[in-house]
Amino acid sequence: MSEPEAPRPRHARAGLARRIGWYALLAASALLGYVLVYGGTVVDQLDSTLAANAEDVDTLVGDRPERPTDQEAGEALNILVMGSDTREGDNQAVGGGAVSGMRNDTTMIVHVAADRSRVEAVSIPRDLQVEIPECTYKDGSTIAATSGDFNIAFSNGGLRGDAAEAAACTIRTVEQLTGIYIDHYAVVDFDGFISMVDALGGVPMCIAEPIVSEKAHLELEAGPQVFDGETALAYARLRTAEEGDVSGSDLQRITRQQQLLEQIAATVFSKNLLTQTDEVTQFLRAVAESLTMDEQMASTTYLVGLLYSLRGLGLDDIVFHTPPWQYTADSLNVELLPEAEEMWDDIRNDRPISVTAEGDASSAWDDGKKDDEESTSEPSSSAKSSGSPSASTTADLLDECR
């Protein structure tokens, strides 16, 4: 039977933090070298931990787009990475109290090229207006199709607090929107993000100007600094600020997110697996404990094979994008421009993404519009694309920032 249509999820202050989940895949690049060098007991423990949260969702997703290639080694892969703001367990304290259900303000399509020459990550704005298909739960019941903000899909699927059901509804929505076959998925939560950043020993960031946000519990001085897990989470959830250039735009938060992801990836790639084994072990365990994913991804054997195929990848080969968009007529949400189809077609056919940026996709949108306060906005028609930084060390980045 069908259940009543779920309410639209409120715009949680914890928005951007849930976006950080996808970097766990990049971060797991450490897994290859570690397994080759140390192997054994740690790998067995990681397999057990990953398997505990692994679940395939093909039967819940239902009809799928045509898969363009065989899924043998070396073929292109599309991985959907989602962030969850579930308030179960330790996440309640981090997220700010008990809230039922699950929400996500973060979804990224991570495309791994067949020749392993590049990884391209496309952020889907949470306020993007889309058609959301009927979603199915594990007991066979369904929730009606609807339309509205993209992140309703995860909320609909997550009404019962099950990350796999939430992922299935989001996958179905993404595949319907883009025609891109999703090979794998991963979901990460608040507490897991903090643990992963702390396990890395922090993430270096260059802050252009002071930022003070009471809502995000964040107070940053301008200049070089290293974020611990809680500070990185606060920066990631940042939506409004009493001081600093923070517009409230979800697109601006995507821009900040991508900058943070670049530095997380750079930090991971800078690790020396032969001399920092305790730190790497701690990080890999944090990754394993924090992710819900499909069963194939939740295998060190599979991950080692995938990551070995990416051994020649550099940070400059990891690129972030936002699909071409514009504001809706009421300036409250966003919609895709026709050029977005070019991006989806590039991914479907494993071509480098051809849509280029024409400025900062964050624009001048002001959160006050949702509170009926006067503000201005200008449409943005371009994708946000930022090349990853070179593989500099933490000290290099902080020196450059001074």
Side-chain angles (χ1 to χ4, degrees):
M1 67 176 180
S2 295
E3 296 190 357
E5 184 174 327
R8 290 165 61 98
R10 63 183 176 83
H11 292 285
R13 6 182 302 230
L16 185 60
R18 285 89 79 187
R19 299 187 178 123
I20 311 306
W22 91 273
Y23 89 91
L25 174 66
L26 297 177
S29 61
L31 180 61
L32 172 61
Y34 190 84
V35 167
L36 292 176
V37 177
Y38 299 100
T41 302
V42 171
V43 174
D44 291 340
Q45 292 173 348
L46 290 174
D47 266 331
S48 296
T49 304
L50 287 167
N53 296 321
E55 193 162 356
D56 287 335
V57 297
D58 285 350
T59 58
L60 299 182
V61 175
D63 293 338
R64 312 293 298 276
E66 181 180 353
R67 179 185 276 162
T69 60
D70 294 333
Q71 295 307 292
E72 301 296 333
E75 299 294 347
L77 295 173
N78 297 306
I79 304 166
L80 194 69
V81 182
M82 296 151 279
S84 169
D85 74 344
T86 178
R87 307 303 169 87
E88 296 294 325
D90 293 338
N91 291 292
Q92 183 175 133
V94 176
V99 178
S100 61
M102 305 178 81
R103 295 160 188 77
N104 92 316
D105 290 337
T106 299
T107 306
M108 281 187 169
I109 302 171
V110 180
H111 178 77
V112 181
D115 64 4
R116 300 306 188 254
S117 64
R118 67 188 188 281
V119 172
E120 295 176 298
V122 178
S123 299
I124 302 180
R126 68 169 191 185
D127 294 333
L128 181 67
Q129 299 303 286
V130 299
E131 297 295 322
I132 298 167
E134 177 183 85
C135 296
T136 303
Y137 299 108
K138 294 174 183 176
D139 63 3
S141 63
T142 61
I143 186 167
T146 185
S147 62
D149 292 356
F150 172 78
N151 69 344
I152 293 175
F154 194 90
S155 181
N156 278 1
L159 282 176
R160 303 177 179 185
D162 188 301
E165 290 178 334
C169 192
T170 307
I171 291 169
R172 189 167 187 178
T173 303
V174 169
E175 291 188 340
Q176 176 177 280
L177 174 68
T178 67
I180 295 169
Y181 185 93
I182 300 299
D183 299 285
H184 301 295
Y185 79 90
V187 180
V188 69
D189 60 28
F190 285 161
D191 194 56
F193 169 69
I194 291 176
S195 298
M196 286 186 280
V197 172
D198 284 340
L200 286 173
V203 176
M205 291 292 293
C206 183
I207 304 302
E209 63 179 3
I211 297 176
V212 177
S213 172
E214 182 178 351
K215 287 186 177 180
H217 306 290
L218 186 68
E219 185 170 346
L220 298 175
E221 297 180 356
Q225 48 204 286
V226 177
F227 287 179
D228 63 12
E230 289 191 3
T231 303
L233 179 62
Y235 182 77
R237 359 176 17 178
L238 182 63
R239 184 179 179 186
T240 61
E242 293 72 53
E243 183 177 351
D245 181 19
V246 180
S247 73
S249 164
D250 183 50
L251 279 299
Q252 188 190 64
R253 293 195 299 179
I254 286 176
T255 300
R256 288 195 296 269
Q257 164 223 356
Q258 292 173 347
Q259 293 166 347
L260 184 58
L261 283 171
E262 288 170 351
Q263 292 312 125
I264 289 171
T267 302
V268 170
F269 281 126
S270 72
K271 296 299 175 185
N272 186 328
L273 299 176
L274 297 177
T275 62
Q276 297 174 283
T277 56
D278 289 342
E279 189 173 324
V280 170
T281 299
Q282 182 183 356
F283 174 71
L284 294 176
R285 285 175 174 160
V287 170
E289 292 168 359
S290 304
L291 297 180
T292 299
M293 60 180 68
D294 59 273
E295 292 179 352
Q296 188 176 25
M297 280 280 286
S299 162
T300 54
T301 299
Y302 179 81
L303 287 174
V304 165
L306 174 60
L307 296 169
Y308 184 74
S309 74
L310 295 170
R311 63 193 180 279
L313 205 66
L315 286 171
D316 290 337
D317 303 316
I318 303 169
V319 185
F320 298 87
H321 302 269
T322 303
W325 61 275
Q326 66 182 2
Y327 289 121
T328 53
D330 58 11
S331 297
L332 295 178
N333 298 293
V334 298
E335 59 191 6
L336 292 180
L337 289 170
E339 291 82 1
E341 177 54 32
E342 297 176 31
M343 177 176 284
W344 308 145
D345 192 60
D346 286 340
I347 294 174
R348 290 192 298 264
N349 291 283
D350 193 28
R351 297 189 299 261
I353 290 176
S354 59
V355 181
T356 57
E358 296 177 1
D360 187 353
S362 65
S363 84
W365 186 87
D366 191 323
D367 187 47
K369 288 201 293 292
K370 297 213 172 196
D371 297 325
D372 296 323
E373 295 177 7
E374 182 179 358
S375 61
T376 61
S377 66
E378 297 178 2
S380 172
S381 61
S382 61
K384 165 69 172 69
S385 174
S386 58
S388 298
S390 60
S392 58
T393 65
T394 297
D396 290 338
L397 173 77
L398 297 182
D399 285 342
E400 291 169 4
C401 183
R402 291 187 173 90

